[in-house]
């Protein structure tokens, strides 16, 4: 399973209003519950917030990878949010975050969860990819850049 198979264009969001970490996680939870009826927005929000309490998922360089397990999630779900303006995400480097890759996985998906997190981290650690995503001017371009980066990363790691 690769990220491009679980990140459809409609879950790549452009110019998302920020405000705060909590507000962004709430926005995502509402958005994903509207798109996937088996998910409850409050449950998703509470799981993402619970994960953040263990330690921020802000990995540095303006990137965060919030993730959680959900018993109502049948298969891994990815979403990407490019914020309209960077927000404080308690990132490890103290820098504000504007690129957010969210992952939800089934409760029992240990290996898949770790593999997907590794793929996201690999893509988002690339400075050229981050710069290209920040320059994207619309949602279709953002999704194309992301899927290109995912495919390049998959090709170079296989």
């Amino acid at each position: 399973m690769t990220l491009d198979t679980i990140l459809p264009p409609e879950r790549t969001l452009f110019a998302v209003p920020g405000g705060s970490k909590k507000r962004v996680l709430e926005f995502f939870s509402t958005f994903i519950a509207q798109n996937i009826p088996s998910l409850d927005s409050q449950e998703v929000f509470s799981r993402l917030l619970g994960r953040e309490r263990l330690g921020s998922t802000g990995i540095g360089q303006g990137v965060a990878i919030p993730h959680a397990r959900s018993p109502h999630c049948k298969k891994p779900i990815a979403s990407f949010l490019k914020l309209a303006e960077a927000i404080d995400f308690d990132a490890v480097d103290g820098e504000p975050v504007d690129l957010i890759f969210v992952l939800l996985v089934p409760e029992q998906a240990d290996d898949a969860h770790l593999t997907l997190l590794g793929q996201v981290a690999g893509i988002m650690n690339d400075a050229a990819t981050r710069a290209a995503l920040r320059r994207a001017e619309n949602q279709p371009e953002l999704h194309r850049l992301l899927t290109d980066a995912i495919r390049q990363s998959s090709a170079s790691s296989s």
Side-chain angles (χ1 to χ4, degrees):
M1 173 170 301
T2 58
L3 286 171
D4 56 331
T5 62
I6 63 169
L7 182 67
E10 63 274 14
R11 287 205 301 262
T12 303
L13 306 177
F14 181 81
V16 173
S20 68
K21 179 198 304 200
K22 191 174 176 185
R23 201 167 289 149
V24 168
L25 294 177
E26 208 165 23
F27 170 88
F28 167 77
S29 300
T30 301
F31 166 78
I32 205 67
Q34 288 169 344
N35 283 268
I36 300 172
S38 66
L39 295 176
D40 173 71
S41 66
Q42 282 305 310
E43 194 250 346
V44 169
F45 178 64
S46 132
R47 286 178 179 272
L48 288 170
L49 219 48
R51 171 58 191 84
E52 289 299 320
R53 285 192 193 104
L54 299 174
S56 176
T57 56
I59 63 168
Q61 310 291 323
V63 175
I65 311 173
H67 55 279
R69 296 170 191 274
S70 168
H72 306 289
C73 189
K74 305 294 177 240
K75 59 185 192 231
I77 296 166
S79 188
F80 184 80
L81 293 71
K82 178 183 176 192
L83 301 183
E85 49 201 49
I87 60 167
D88 178 25
F89 214 90
D90 303 316
V92 293
D93 62 359
E95 293 295 313
V97 162
D98 62 340
L99 301 175
I100 302 178
F101 215 121
V102 189
L103 277 177
L104 292 177
V105 295
E107 197 88 69
Q108 66 286 351
D110 293 334
D111 293 342
H113 187 179
L114 297 174
T115 301
L116 291 169
L117 277 173
Q119 285 177 20
V120 173
I123 292 158
M124 300 312 287
N125 276 330
D126 182 65
T129 298
R130 288 192 311 271
L133 293 171
R134 288 187 172 112
R135 282 192 307 270
E137 295 183 11
N138 54 47
Q139 188 275 339
E141 182 185 8
L142 188 63
H143 186 260
R144 182 186 54 73
L145 289 166
L146 257 177
T147 50
D148 288 353
I150 291 165
R151 289 182 186 123
Q152 275 182 328
S153 171
S154 297
S156 65
S157 65
S158 49

